[in-house]
Structures are given as structure tokens and as C-alpha cells.
């Protein structure tokens, strides 16, 4: 049975979301961040980050932007999947960005 365009699009989005979730986890570990630190920067609780990482809630484009900003990586690069970009994450620079408040008002 052929898939409809909508089914294909939904699967593509799901694949993209899964790659981004995986990228956040690897990036977070590379940057030596806790869920609490990541959430604080993005303007969420540890629990809210955890639910997104478990796939229970989808990341918004704004949240993806702020995570990319914190890690110093374009979120589109992250969503493309794991790669050499992980080597570009500098934990010292990430900690410095943690100390610089963002404007994450919703």
C-alpha cells in the first residue's frame, strides 16, 4: 500500500524530531550539562526537558533555537543527525553562555 503525502510528511517530521532529540542528548553530554542547566537556559524545568527528551512533548522551533544557541551549533545541523559538529562543542564556552541570560519570554 502506497503512503499518502501526509503520511510521508508525518514520518519525516518524526524522524527529524528523533534526530534532534538524539542530538540534544549527545550535545548536552558533550557540553557536560544537566537537564536542569539546559532547562534553565531555555526557560523550562528539568521535568519539561525530560518530557521532550522522552518524546512526550515536541520541541518548539524557539526551544530548538535556544538549545542550538547554548551549544553553539545551528539547530538545523543538529536535526540533520549526529556528526563532527559534536567536536565543536566547547564545555567552557557553553558554561559561559549559561551565565549569560537569554530572553526566553513566552
Amino acid at each position: 500500500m502506497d503512503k499518502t503525502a501526509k503520511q510521508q510528511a508525518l514520518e519525516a517530521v518524526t524522524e527529524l524530531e528523533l534526530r534532534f532529540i538524539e542530538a540534544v542528548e549527545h550535545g548536552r553530554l558533550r557540553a557536560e550539562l544537566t537537564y536542569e542547566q539546559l532547562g534553565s537556559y531555555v526557560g523550562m524545568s528539568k521535568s519539561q526537558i525530560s518530557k521532550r527528551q522522552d518524546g512526550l512533548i515536541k520541541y518548539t522551533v524557539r526551544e530548538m533555537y535556544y538549545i542550538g544557541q547554548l551549544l553553539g551549533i545551528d539547530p538545523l545541523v543538529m536535526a540533520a543527525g549526529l556528526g563532527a559538529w559534536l567536536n565543536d562543542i566547547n564545555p567552557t564556552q557553553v558554561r559561559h553562555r549559561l551565565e549569560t541570560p537569554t530572553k526566553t519570554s513566552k
Side-chain angles (χ1 to χ4, degrees), residues 52-64:
R52 281 161 178 77
Q53 286 301 107
D54 290 341
L56 301 174
I57 299 174
K58 295 180 181 186
Y59 280 104
T60 66
V61 172
R62 174 175 278 160
E63 293 161 357
M64 292 171 70

Side-chain angles (χ1 to χ4, degrees), residues 54-97:
D54 290 341
L56 301 174
I57 299 174
K58 295 180 181 186
Y59 280 104
T60 66
V61 172
R62 174 175 278 160
E63 293 161 357
M64 292 171 70
Y65 168 79
Y66 284 121
I67 290 170
Q69 186 179 39
L70 175 60
L71 297 178
I73 306 294
D74 186 318
L76 293 176
V77 171
M78 293 174 66
L82 300 179
W85 60 265
L86 281 167
N87 296 326
D88 296 336
I89 295 175
N90 181 323
T92 303
Q93 290 176 349
V94 172
R95 278 191 294 280
H96 177 70
R97 285 190 283 270

